[in-house]
């Protein structure tokens, strides 16, 4: 049994606790949170003990640590856990600062422990089917990728203020998805953004609507569209045009009924948000972590992948500010 310590007892920690306790070869030993009451609630629900973050990291009986704390703690906790000999699965993003994330990457190499970053969408069956078909050459050579990623509604402005902004908090998933599908990072990033959903988001210095265009070394192009509000639900689609065809991953709907009458043809809405859409992806992500740990193999999403996506977020932020495309090497 793989003994696991969970750091953080918030929204996403509960999702991970469910996956860890449902897995036949992993045991959730303990959870920590700076709010002890949150940790106690999660511990009671999933049957584990409550300890401090430091106690979990120092416990030699714990093999792996899952970091589901607030973003500004990630790099520090990755460094502490790997220095203590733990394998780590850490939620995205690696850090709010690219420089800090790169320093963390160096420290992890020195510690010699494996780290996986929680880009769960790679494990979504729809997106991984697209990736497999592309690798099998089913649409020839990839040429143009388009990713649509709209949330059902904006988070509270208090969250926006500490989130690191749309590119680091939300579009980071889509930057990683582009890297996953295209198999390499772009050369340059060009961003347009505005706050038309909620002026309060603009007043907080962030955007809620954005389009990013990315250019690749061999002429391929990718486009990412983000909005913090789609009134019909969580809109998560992608399509890739290749030299011999098109691959599309559509939304998961609340049900598959299609009603056709004289009034028209209607279908159900997309599933509400990430907990509904990606639950199977979180479970598959955990299973992939366990499998790689047991086989002593490289994790399917690495810390380098996390840093690469953060570099694209940084380039997009700079592009928005400067009003021109920004090369990835400019932020390197
Ligand atoms: N992959 C995904 O789909 C996904 C979805 C949501 C959130 N996230 C990421 O997960 C992280 C957590 O997000 P959330 O929505 O669960 O936030 P949250 O605020 O609900 O939970 C974070 C918890 O971490 C606790 N915490 C902070 N510092 C700590 C420390 N040093 N030790 C122990 N606990 C500590 C907080 O008290 C809080 O309870 C963020 O980095 C976010 O970007 C990822």
């Amino acid at each position: 049994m793989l003994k696991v310590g969970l750091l953080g007892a918030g929204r996403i920690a509960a999702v991970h606790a469910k996956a860890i306790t449902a897995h036949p070869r992993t045991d959730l030993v303990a959870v920590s949170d700076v709010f002890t009451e949150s940790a106690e609630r999660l511990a009671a629900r999933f049957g584990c003990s409550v300890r401090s973050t430091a106690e979990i990291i120092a416990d030699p009986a714990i093999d792996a640590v899952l970091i589901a704390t607030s973003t500004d703690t990630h790099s520090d906790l990755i460094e502490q856990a790997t220095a203590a000999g733990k394998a780590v699965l850490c939620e995205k993003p690696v850090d709010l600062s690219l420089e800090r994330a790169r320093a963390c990457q160096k420290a992890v190499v020195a510690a010699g422990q494996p780290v996986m970053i929680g880009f769960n969408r790679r494990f979504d069956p729809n997106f991984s089917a697209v990736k497999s078909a592309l690798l099998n050459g089913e649409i020839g050579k990839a040429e143009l990728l388009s990713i649509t990623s709209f949330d059902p509604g904006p988070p509270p402005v208090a969250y926006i203020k500490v989130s690191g902004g749309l590119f680091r908090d939300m579009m980071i998933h889509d930057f990683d998805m582009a890297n996953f599908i295209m198999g390499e990072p772009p050369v340059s990033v060009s961003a347009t953004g505005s706050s038309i959903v909620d002026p309060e988001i603009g007043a907080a210095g962030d955007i809620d609507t954005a389009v990013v265009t990315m250019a690749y070394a061999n002429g391929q192009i990718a486009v990412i569209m983000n909005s913090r509000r789609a009134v019909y639900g969580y809109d998560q689609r992608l399509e890739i045009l290749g030299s011999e065809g098109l691959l599309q991953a559509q939304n998961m709907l609340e049900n598959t009924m299609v009603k056709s009458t004289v009034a028209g043809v209607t279908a159900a809405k997309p599933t509400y948000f990430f907990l509904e859409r990606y639950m199977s992806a979180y479970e598959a992500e955990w299973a992939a972590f366990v499998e790689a740990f047991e086989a002593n193999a490289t994790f399917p999403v690495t810390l380098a992948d996390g840093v690469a996506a953060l570099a694209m977020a940084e380039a997009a932020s700079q592009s928005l500010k400067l009003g021109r495309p920004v090369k990835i090497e400019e932020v390197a």
Side-chain angles (χ1 to χ4, degrees):
M1 280 299 241
L2 178 74
K3 305 273 184 204
V4 187
L6 177 60
L7 310 184
R11 268 189 324 170
I12 202 69
V15 172
H16 290 302
K18 196 168 167 216
I20 296 166
T21 51
H23 194 288
R25 299 192 304 282
T26 61
D27 182 14
L28 181 60
V29 177
V31 61
S32 72
D33 198 289
V34 287
F35 292 109
T36 314
E37 278 175 17
S38 305
E40 280 167 355
R41 258 198 312 273
L42 190 141
R45 186 169 157 207
F46 292 99
C48 66
S49 68
V50 174
R51 295 192 206 157
S52 72
T53 296
E55 282 167 350
I56 290 178
I57 289 174
D59 184 347
I62 289 179
D63 308 300
V65 160
L66 198 156
I67 301 173
T69 52
S70 331
T71 298
D72 59 353
T73 64
H74 290 179
S75 288
D76 289 346
L77 293 175
I78 290 173
E79 287 182 4
Q80 289 166 26
T82 53
K86 312 293 182 217
V88 169
L89 171 58
C90 180
E91 262 308 337
K92 47 58 64 174
V94 178
D95 204 278
L96 295 177
S97 149
L98 179 59
E99 204 183 341
R100 179 71 188 90
R102 289 211 168 108
C104 174
Q105 203 179 1
K106 278 198 192 126
V108 165
V109 171
Q113 290 301 319
V115 175
M116 179 160 152
I117 298 299
F119 285 127
N120 57 295
R121 294 183 194 178
R122 290 191 184 211
F123 303 93
D124 174 78
N126 309 290
F127 299 142
S128 59
V130 167
K131 175 71 180 175
S132 300
L134 195 60
L135 284 178
N136 289 340
E138 292 172 32
I139 59 156
K141 197 179 146 304
E143 292 170 351
L144 178 59
L145 170 68
S146 166
I147 299 175
T148 300
S149 180
F150 302 157
D151 284 354
V157 173
Y159 173 89
I160 295 277
K161 285 181 179 162
V162 296
S163 70
L166 180 137
F167 295 129
R168 290 180 190 82
D169 177 56
M170 180 177 173
M171 200 180 284
I172 196 92
H173 276 294
D174 307 300
F175 289 131
D176 180 69
M177 183 53 61
N179 289 346
F180 175 56
I181 298 290
M182 299 302 256
E184 61 176 332
V187 175
S188 70
V189 172
S190 181
T192 307
S194 66
S195 61
I196 46 173
V197 169
D198 183 353
E200 293 273 306
I201 292 177
D206 198 10
I207 52 174
D208 50 43
T209 306
V211 176
V212 163
T213 308
M214 300 186 292
Y216 291 78
N218 56 7
Q220 296 162 308
I221 297 171
V223 182
I224 299 171
M225 290 190 293
N226 270 187
S227 170
R228 290 279 192 187
R229 182 192 60 206
V231 293
Y232 49 88
Y234 195 37
D235 195 347
Q236 299 281 293
R237 292 170 285 132
L238 68 77
E239 65 178 41
I240 180 147
L241 178 66
S243 54
E244 289 168 39
L246 178 77
L247 297 168
Q248 293 177 303
Q250 304 285 6
N251 280 317
M252 306 274 277
L253 304 182
E254 284 171 346
N255 62 62
T256 62
M257 181 182 79
V258 176
K259 183 172 74 182
S260 303
T261 67
V262 286
V265 178
T266 56
K269 291 188 294 187
T271 47
Y272 176 63
F273 207 179
F274 63 93
L275 295 180
E276 292 79 13
R277 164 67 192 258
Y278 288 123
M279 195 49 85
S280 71
Y282 294 115
E283 283 162 7
E285 173 184 67
W286 181 245
F289 176 89
V290 175
E291 207 172 295
F293 179 88
E294 289 172 344
N296 207 14
T298 307
F299 283 136
V301 194
T302 62
L303 185 53
D305 291 321
V307 174
L310 197 57
M312 290 153 79
E314 179 64 34
S317 302
Q318 290 195 17
S319 169
L320 187 66
K321 202 159 37 173
L322 299 170
R324 65 164 175 83
V326 169
K327 291 199 165 120
I328 295 296
E329 65 185 26
E330 291 181 61
V331 299

